[in-house]
Amino acid sequence: MNVVTLVGSLRADSTNRQLALNAIDHLPEGSTAPIFDRVAELPHYSEDIDVEGHVPAVAEELRSAITDADALIVVTPEYNGTLSSVMKNAIDWASRPYGMACIKDTPAIVLAASASARAAQWARADAVRTLQVAGARVVEDTLGVGSSHEAFVEGKLIDPEADATLRTLVCRLVPAPVPAV
Ligand SMILES: Cc1cc2nc3c(=O)[nH]c(=O)nc-3n(C[C@H](O)[C@H](O)[C@H](O)COP(=O)(O)O)c2cc1C
């Protein structure tokens, strides 16, 4: 599988980034799973700069990565009750040009880590809705990791239940084998 991951926190020690890496670890062996690390370089979306032949290179790179991917993992912090602005902006870029969006029909899951015990419930709900409107085939179940500053040891998610849920969610991105005839 080729899976692209977007991380909506730019912080060096981001717990969302750690959660993303734990998710990638659950992909089938041999998968390619780059984190698209240029979300902060994407200009704020404007139709004035989304012009054929003049699209910013970084936006083209994002669109190509999603076009080439079998699936998308979206990992966002909750900022003031919703997904982070860099994540929303990346999804906005992936949702255009209208009718030709690279994200259309891409299977996707949403994960979030937040400092609060509510585990970024609003950010997850908003990310699912945004991805649905953008045209992705997003799984409605999500995983939220609360009190995230205590949830990882040496980068590993320590709660086995949360890790099992993560594995199950990641597996939902893997296409079912074609039955033998
Ligand atoms: C601008 C801002 C707004 C925040 N708003 C929320 C919030 O609404 N809900 C929440 O649970 N945490 C909120 N937080 C705390 C984040 O959950 C916390 O900083 C978390 O560690 C961010 O993820 P990271 O570790 O990947 O950077 C906010 C943090 C910032 C910087």
Side-chain angles (χ1 to χ4, degrees):
M1 282 190 85
N2 175 19
V3 179
V4 168
T5 303
L6 302 177
V7 178
S9 167
L10 308 179
R11 211 164 63 82
D13 288 332
S14 163
T15 53
N16 282 278
R17 194 181 178 83
Q18 291 173 59
L19 182 56
L21 293 171
N22 279 259
I24 289 168
D25 275 352
H26 287 313
L27 285 167
E29 223 179 297
S31 300
T32 344
I35 292 180
F36 182 81
D37 256 338
R38 301 187 66 195
V39 283
E41 296 170 48
L42 288 165
H44 291 166
Y45 185 85
S46 162
E47 286 170 299
D48 289 347
I49 55 171
D50 190 6
V51 175
E52 201 178 343
H54 301 278
V55 176
V58 61
E60 290 282 26
E61 197 180 307
L62 173 73
R63 288 174 173 171
S64 300
I66 294 176
T67 300
D68 294 346
D70 301 306
L72 181 64
I73 299 177
V74 164
V75 195
T76 184
E78 182 167 277
Y79 283 173
N80 297 308
T82 190
L83 61 166
S84 71
S85 56
V86 288
M87 181 60 78
K88 177 64 166 51
N89 190 44
I91 295 170
D92 289 344
W93 274 107
S95 72
R96 298 280 147 162
Y98 187 72
M100 298 189 316
C102 62
I103 202 168
K104 180 147 178 21
D105 293 330
T106 304
I109 55 170
V110 170
L111 314 171
S114 89
S116 109
R118 288 191 311 271
Q121 58 180 357
W122 296 316
R124 285 183 279 132
D126 287 358
V128 166
R129 191 186 55 228
T130 296
L131 287 161
Q132 282 169 339
V133 173
R137 265 201 284 131
V138 61
V139 174
E140 292 205 10
D141 295 327
T142 61
L143 173 69
V145 174
S147 307
S148 61
H149 295 98
E150 296 152 17
F152 299 88
V153 170
E154 291 179 4
K156 289 281 163 216
L157 193 54
I158 50 178
D159 176 358
E161 252 179 65
D163 194 48
T165 304
L166 182 60
R167 178 185 287 278
T168 304
L169 266 181
V170 169
C171 283
R172 290 176 70 175
L173 293 175
V174 180
V178 180
V181 281

